[in-house]
Amino acid sequence: MNEPQEPLFLARRTYRQRRLMDAARLMPWLGILLFFLPLLWRDAATSTGLLYLFSVWLVLIAGSWILSRSLGRSTAWDKNAEDPGAEG
Amino acid sequence: MLSFNLILSVCLGYVVLLFLVAFAAEKRAERGQAGWLRSPVVYTLSLSIYCTGWTFFGAVGYAARSGLEFVTIYLGPTLVLIGWWTILRKLVRIGRTQRITSIADLVSSRYGKSPMLGVFVTLLAVIAGTPYIALQLQSVTLAFEVFAPGNGSGVRGSLDVTAVWVAAGLALFTIIFGTRNLDVDEKHNGVVMAIAVEAVVKLIALVAVGLFVVFAVAGGPTATLEQIAASPIADWRLQGDRWIALTFVAAAAFICLPRMFHVLVVENTDESHLVTASWAFPLYMFLISLFVVPIAVVGLAAMPPGTNPDTFVLTVPLAYGQDGLAMLSFLGGFSAATSMVIVASIALSTMVSNHIVMPIWLSVRREKGSDPGDVRNIVLLSRRLTITAILALGYAYYDMSGGGAALAAIGLISFVGVSQIVPALIGGIFWRGANRIGAALGLTVGFVVWAYTFFLPSFGSGAILSAATMAEGPFGIYLLRPQALFGIEGLDPLVHTVIWSISLNTGAFILGSLVTFPKPLERLQGASFVNVWRYSDSTRGWGESVAEAEDLLVMAQRILGNREAQALFQSIAQAQGKREYLPDVTPAFLQTLERRLAGSVGAATAHAMVGQITGGTTVSVQDLMKVADEAAQIMEYSSQLEAKSSELERTARQLREANEKLTELSIQKDAFLSQISHELRTPMTSIRAFSEILMAGDTMVSEDRMRYSRIIHDESRRLTRLLDDLLDLSVLENGQVSLRLEDVRLGEVIDRALAATARHGETDQMRIRRTKAAESVLVTTDADRLSQVFINIIANAQKYCAAREPDLEIRVSGAGDAVTVDFVDNGDGIPRAKQSVIFEKFSRLSDTRAAGGAGLGLAICREIMDKLGGSISYLPGQGGAAFRVILPKARRAAA
């Protein structure tokens, strides 16, 4: 069987779309990194930890909000999303 | 101080309010005005059943005991939600396309609709869910305890009664709204609306208590942080292993808990709701947990020692005389507990009735032979009974565990239990190779390890597992101690269980999938789960027609080729009066496209492909059969074509060979004709010349006349001989010769030949050597013809043998049915290059004159031998020229 022929280069809008999808896939990894970072700390105070964790949490929520708004508005948010072809 | 009775009546009033909300929502939905009932906000709020009574009361207690660790319970789900694009989106899509009704249904469907796996996951969920429901009863009872008159052990009995009443009330509510109707897609508008309201209540309650504590008690955020720094939990003793294990377990439980799966996937009405929930629910959890540490710290400072930290949410407002706030807080905890129990029991009862009760009931009915007419009522009845049974089980667990353990510890047992489903679930939606055996193995191993190392010990040492077993392992097997498997000691029990159960579970799952072979249905389901984006109507609810037209173009390009497809689309778009490439997706356009595609891939395939992209019609079995039929026809047709073309090729090859032969024959014929005309012309020329001399020569002496006449005579004899030979050859070649076959002795024929060729009176007589004894063999042949062959050979030897003392040996030998006669002379022989042509017509090796023949002799010999059933060939390597004649023995002699 031949590989499905996809265009090699995408229109600017579709390209943005694909990068947004990439970002959405990477979000949990960023979350894991930020949430597990305190494992490296020594002699941390609860109040510091509290501030750190809740700030990071807010950042992730904000990031997710921005991403989901952009992705949710798109017309073809899952088209070819699982087929890494072309540039995406 | 609030009176117990007031609390009870407020509770009842609240429950009535929930009833009304649920009822109104159901009514609205029935009138088809679901509208905002099914908004993303309601969906997000319904997810809040993750935050149970355990969360509400227990989180503060947890924080008071171990500081920030409680937050992992929310970090895990946060990771899952912000990673919605990868896992949740796919789960929801699968749930919608496959009409999944529960997590047991999902696992069972994925692995070839295996009933065994459905039963297994159901049992696991019920067993793991029981402590959780007990936990809710315990938290509500605990809350009542705070308000109970005379805080003491004496009220323990009445609290148990309270727990029973709470359980019974919850069962009633769940039965009324959870099993009122039997929907195909298991959606419950009323329940979802009620839990959304409860979500708001508990959030407001906790935030209100939090704000009160931070601003009224502690004196502002900065002061709160200072108080935290001065509290017993000031040092963050972060246990890395527990941190990671808890985050993982919470993330897993968020997907795998039956009630979470129910609201996430089953109750989901629109995939776009996930987009909102992906950030809104983490925000919800953020707000729920924001004030947990301040409340804990203030509680630790303000409350007398010995106060259960699990009740700080209630006791702190009470201690500061805020009765209204305490009441709100109580309602919040009550909401959290009830909403969780309601959804959990709906989810579990769906699973039990679909995967355990109904299969058993149907098989029993089938055996009895009566028609399964009233399935509907049976399902509803089984669900109602199951709900009651589950709540009873929860109460039994509560009663058995004594209600003493810290809330958080009990909740974690359930979390770890349901996370055993994760390998089969995640593997199932991302790995096509995952199969039923692997999933069953993994689940079994994970379940056994979990039960043995975590669940059974939770009843307390000596309750189910004896103290001796706990300390020394079963039957004294040291390596199998429940909390130190394989001799690895010192791990936290939770971390110990998570590591062993999940790793062994995953290992068994992968190994089982790798070494066994799935059934066809499993493979089909595997493909449709893993490739759900490819097989489901991808743009429904999202797409505009442009996206569809683009999809169609992409598909058409794959089939028709880029240029043709684009031209087709453009022409249709122009016909529609558009300037772009993409036409509007109209029925006419679809029909044209489908017909065009059908030309390439067959009508059924084209219909299925177009339908898949545009209509959201999934491919039915009939469609698949048609596709298969078409494929079979195409294959048969092409194999026929192949047979035909190879036949044609064979014929063409034969024709080519025949043509080559004809060309060759034509060349031979031309050569023959020119040769013959040359042969005829030479004597004719001399005859004409000499006869002209004779005619003109009156004065010629008689001696000359005599000589010329003899030349003319000789030449005409030669002509006659040539014509005779030609005649002879053509007769032989045309097969018109009639042979007179008789049995003769070979010796006699040779005698005749020698007699005919003897040249009497010449000096250089050729010496002939013969073996008379061998020549007495009898052969069936035409003696005249055979002697003609022999004469030819002997005459040739006489003519061409250039030896000083010419010598011809005639050797006769018989082998089998044939007699071989070799004529070998002692001359120079025939050069190798010429050996192949001497049997051709007019082939002469040297100058014709010397031989005086036309070169037809050997050609005639070969024809004769063919006719006689033998052969003549040149025998190389005998010292001189050697001819071998093979002829058949007499039939009599041979027999």
Side-chain angles (χ1 to χ4, degrees):
Chain A
M1 287 285 285
N2 290 328
E3 286 293 305
Q5 290 175 356
E6 296 211 359
L8 193 56
F9 298 107
L10 301 166
R12 192 180 178 82
R13 206 176 120 239
T14 324
Y15 184 91
R16 272 289 121 238
Q17 214 71 54
R18 296 271 168 98
R19 299 294 81 77
L20 279 174
M21 292 172 191
D22 291 347
R25 284 190 198 98
L26 289 173
M27 274 304 276
W29 300 105
L30 176 69
I32 286 172
L33 177 79
L34 293 176
F35 286 155
F36 289 172
L37 207 59
L39 295 178
L40 303 174
W41 296 1
R42 297 190 192 285
D43 305 327
T46 301
S47 48
T48 321
L50 190 75
L51 283 179
Y52 171 77
L53 280 177
F54 281 84
S55 326
V56 161
W57 205 343
L58 268 188
V59 167
L60 287 174
I61 290 168
S64 189
W65 179 64
I66 294 166
L67 272 181
S68 61
R69 268 174 65 89
S70 318
L71 277 172
R73 226 189 282 123
S74 78
T75 50
W77 62 294
D78 56 3
K79 191 162 71 80
N80 295 328
E82 306 298 310
D83 292 333
E87 293 167 278
Chain B
M1 188 75 186
L2 292 165
S3 77
F4 188 68
N5 289 337
L6 179 64
I7 292 287
L8 263 184
S9 46
V10 169
C11 261
L12 283 177
Y14 180 67
V15 170
V16 169
L17 177 75
L18 286 183
F19 261 97
L20 291 176
V21 167
F23 191 70
E26 293 267 321
K27 281 288 157 219
R28 267 189 88 87
E30 273 173 26
R31 287 201 304 270
Q33 297 170 323
W36 58 273
L37 294 180
R38 287 306 194 179
S39 69
V41 177
V42 172
Y43 178 72
T44 306
L45 287 175
S46 73
L47 294 185
S48 76
I49 53 155
Y50 179 75
C51 308
T52 63
W54 165 35
T55 303
F56 199 86
F57 298 115
V60 175
Y62 199 151
R65 291 183 193 94
S66 0
L68 274 175
E69 197 178 88
F70 84 94
V71 88
T72 51
I73 301 301
Y74 305 103
L75 296 186
T78 301
L79 291 176
V80 172
L81 276 166
I82 62 175
W84 65 288
W85 186 264
T86 312
I87 296 177
L88 287 182
R89 197 174 59 109
K90 195 165 192 179
L91 270 182
V92 168
R93 171 59 64 84
I94 290 171
R96 287 161 59 84
T97 52
Q98 301 280 329
R99 298 178 195 282
I100 298 296
T101 60
S102 65
I103 186 152
D105 191 29
L106 181 94
V107 173
S108 154
S109 299
R110 162 61 181 84
Y111 298 105
K113 319 212 159 163
S114 150
M116 170 194 71
L117 279 176
V119 170
F120 202 89
V121 174
T122 303
L123 287 179
L124 177 66
V126 169
I127 293 171
T130 303
Y132 216 140
I133 289 174
L135 181 60
Q136 307 308 313
L137 296 177
Q138 186 178 337
S139 63
V140 174
T141 316
L142 206 64
F144 273 114
E145 196 177 353
V146 172
F147 297 100
N151 263 344
S153 55
V155 293
R156 170 76 189 160
S158 71
L159 284 173
D160 279 352
V161 175
T162 312
V164 172
W165 277 110
V166 170
L170 287 173
L172 189 68
F173 185 92
T174 314
I175 286 170
I176 289 174
F177 285 103
T179 64
R180 226 164 56 84
N181 55 353
L182 194 62
D183 221 11
V184 204
D185 50 5
E186 303 289 349
K187 294 194 191 335
H188 306 88
N189 289 306
V191 172
V192 169
M193 200 61 220
I195 59 177
V197 170
E198 293 194 291
V200 176
V201 171
K202 66 191 176 195
L203 181 65
I204 290 176
L206 205 57
V207 170
V209 174
L211 290 175
F212 170 74
V213 163
V214 169
F215 289 99
V217 180
T222 324
T224 311
L225 283 176
E226 279 165 15
Q227 196 171 348
I228 291 171
S231 72
I233 55 169
D235 280 337
W236 185 13
R237 295 178 301 279
L238 178 68
Q239 277 179 269
D241 51 355
R242 268 181 76 87
W243 187 264
I244 295 174
L246 280 168
T247 309
F248 169 77
V249 163
F254 186 73
I255 302 173
C256 293
L257 277 171
R259 68 171 198 279
M260 289 316 299
F261 188 87
H262 189 82
V263 287
L264 263 176
V265 177
V266 183
E267 299 277 4
N268 178 289
T269 47
D270 190 336
E271 286 172 24
S272 66
H273 292 174
L274 254 189
V275 183
T276 307
S278 73
W279 60 269
F281 191 63
L283 185 65
Y284 185 95
M285 291 190 289
F286 174 88
L287 292 174
I288 280 275
S289 45
L290 185 58
F291 295 107
V292 167
V293 173
I295 295 172
V297 168
V298 168
L300 282 174
M303 301 312 291
T307 311
N308 187 349
D310 286 333
T311 62
F312 278 172
V313 186
L314 293 172
T315 50
V316 169
L318 280 177
Y320 287 90
Q322 296 290 331
D323 284 2
L325 191 60
M327 175 57 90
L328 181 63
S329 165
F330 175 81
L331 274 187
F334 186 73
S335 293
T338 50
S339 56
M340 176 272 163
V341 174
I342 289 165
V343 182
S345 50
I346 288 176
L348 286 176
S349 72
T350 307
M351 284 159 69
V352 170
S353 80
N354 285 3
H355 293 282
I356 297 179
V357 177
M358 288 319 290
I360 294 174
W361 187 78
L362 283 176
S363 69
V364 169
R365 286 296 289 248
R366 201 177 301 138
E367 277 167 26
K368 282 183 181 169
S370 58
D371 74 312
D374 207 7
V375 178
R376 199 187 142 79
N377 282 341
I378 294 294
V379 172
L380 286 179
L381 182 66
S382 79
R383 290 202 183 164
R384 285 165 189 163
L385 290 177
T386 314
I387 288 170
T388 316
I390 285 167
L391 282 166
L393 260 181
Y395 178 76
Y397 186 93
Y398 162 75
D399 201 40
M400 228 175 119
S401 63
L407 296 178
I410 305 178
L412 287 177
I413 295 171
S414 288
F415 272 33
V416 181
V418 292
S419 44
Q420 301 309 322
I421 305 173
V422 161
L425 179 74
I426 299 299
I429 63 172
F430 288 107
W431 182 33
R432 275 182 68 175
N435 69 25
R436 189 173 50 95
I437 306 285
L441 274 178
L443 279 169
T444 312
V445 169
F447 175 76
V448 167
V449 173
W450 166 75
Y452 181 64
T453 63
F454 212 46
F455 181 62
L456 297 182
S458 78
F459 289 95
S461 188
I464 290 179
L465 296 177
S466 67
T469 306
M470 292 293 289
E472 290 157 27
F475 317 109
I477 303 171
Y478 199 64
L479 288 180
L480 292 183
R481 279 171 301 161
Q483 301 199 323
L485 277 185
F486 312 119
I488 296 175
E489 293 178 61
L491 282 179
D492 180 88
L494 172 97
V495 176
H496 174 263
T497 302
V498 170
I499 288 179
W500 285 121
S501 63
I502 295 294
S503 58
L504 291 176
N505 179 340
T506 311
F509 168 65
I510 292 175
L511 194 69
S513 299
L514 289 181
V515 298
T516 58
F517 198 81
K519 292 187 295 191
L521 191 55
E522 283 178 69
R523 300 173 73 180
L524 190 68
Q525 287 292 93
S528 62
F529 273 58
V530 173
N531 300 331
V532 66
W533 303 116
R534 234 174 281 168
Y535 295 147
S536 60
D537 44 334
S538 57
T539 51
R540 204 178 193 186
W542 294 88
E544 300 157 9
S545 58
V546 174
E548 273 177 15
E550 204 174 336
D551 288 339
L552 287 169
L553 178 61
V554 169
M555 180 189 72
Q557 279 176 347
R558 286 177 193 166
I559 294 168
L560 300 174
N562 289 0
R563 194 175 303 169
E564 199 177 337
Q566 282 161 12
L568 175 70
F569 274 60
Q570 201 172 10
S571 70
I572 295 174
Q574 275 170 356
Q576 289 178 349
K578 296 179 77 176
R579 280 173 178 275
E580 306 164 42
Y581 268 98
L582 294 177
D584 289 331
V585 183
T586 61
F589 162 55
L590 287 180
Q591 211 167 5
T592 315
L593 179 65
E594 195 179 308
R595 222 175 296 135
R596 190 67 175 272
L597 292 178
S600 302
V601 292
T605 315
H607 182 70
M609 292 173 103
V610 172
Q612 188 137 54
I613 290 180
T614 57
T617 46
T618 46
V619 184
S620 69
V621 177
Q622 275 77 14
D623 288 344
L624 284 177
M625 302 280 261
K626 276 190 207 152
V627 171
D629 279 352
E630 273 172 4
Q633 277 173 13
I634 290 169
M635 273 167 66
E636 194 182 338
Y637 183 59
S638 73
S639 77
Q640 277 175 4
L641 272 185
E642 208 173 309
K644 280 218 175 84
S645 86
S646 72
E647 194 184 316
L648 276 178
E649 204 176 312
R650 217 167 27 243
T651 316
R653 201 167 49 235
Q654 284 168 352
L655 276 176
R656 212 160 37 235
E657 280 169 9
N659 190 36
E660 275 166 18
K661 203 175 273 178
L662 278 177
T663 317
E664 208 177 311
L665 280 176
S666 157
I667 294 169
Q668 267 182 23
K669 190 193 71 190
D670 288 349
F672 179 73
L673 281 178
S674 77
Q675 194 78 43
I676 225 154
S677 43
H678 176 75
E679 293 289 336
L680 289 176
R681 188 184 169 81
T682 319
M684 287 301 273
T685 310
S686 57
I687 288 172
R688 208 179 72 198
F690 284 109
S691 51
E692 274 169 9
I693 293 171
L694 282 177
M695 279 189 289
D698 299 330
T699 58
M700 198 178 284
V701 289
S702 64
E703 208 171 297
D704 281 345
R705 194 184 297 136
M706 194 68 200
R707 207 176 83 224
Y708 296 151
S709 308
R710 192 161 54 244
I711 290 173
I712 293 173
H713 181 247
D714 284 350
E715 287 298 319
S716 51
R717 265 184 62 197
R718 204 170 128 211
L719 265 181
T720 316
R721 201 164 62 236
L722 180 64
L723 290 173
D724 280 347
D725 281 355
L726 276 175
L727 212 58
D728 208 7
L729 192 60
S730 99
V731 165
L732 282 167
E733 280 185 345
N734 290 334
Q736 291 164 343
V737 66
S738 51
L739 296 170
R740 289 197 314 278
L741 291 181
E742 55 189 341
D743 290 347
V744 289
R745 262 176 222 296
L746 189 59
E748 289 171 18
V749 183
I750 297 175
D751 284 346
R752 262 162 71 178
L754 285 173
T757 53
R759 285 180 286 185
H760 298 288
E762 288 185 28
T763 47
D764 51 347
Q765 274 276 19
M766 184 173 242
R767 200 161 69 90
I768 308 287
R769 288 187 287 148
R770 298 170 61 183
T771 319
K772 292 276 184 191
E775 288 172 8
S776 64
V777 67
L778 214 56
V779 292
T780 305
T781 190
D782 185 324
D784 291 340
R785 288 293 183 182
L786 187 59
S787 67
Q788 190 184 346
V789 172
F790 288 170
I791 288 166
N792 206 306
I793 295 171
I794 296 165
N796 274 345
Q798 286 169 343
K799 264 186 248 168
Y800 297 112
C801 185
R804 196 181 296 258
E805 289 175 1
D807 172 301
L808 179 71
E809 185 183 2
I810 302 174
R811 292 192 293 236
V812 177
S813 57
D817 290 345
V819 180
T820 309
V821 189
D822 292 343
F823 297 86
V824 183
D825 67 19
N826 60 347
D828 296 332
I830 295 170
R832 193 175 173 75
K834 306 273 181 162
Q835 286 170 11
S836 57
V837 297
I838 49 175
F839 292 103
E840 299 302 323
K841 292 160 205 156
F842 302 110
S843 64
R844 272 179 303 240
L845 300 181
S846 53
D847 184 31
T848 323
R849 301 295 121 207
L856 290 173
L858 282 174
I860 292 171
C861 287
R862 193 177 60 179
E863 289 301 326
I864 292 172
M865 288 318 296
D866 274 355
K867 291 287 176 292
L868 292 177
S871 67
I872 178 169
S873 55
Y874 185 76
L875 196 64
Q878 303 298 318
F883 288 87
R884 164 163 291 182
V885 177
I886 298 172
L887 58 156
K889 264 183 188 168
R891 280 185 295 270
R892 241 185 314 161

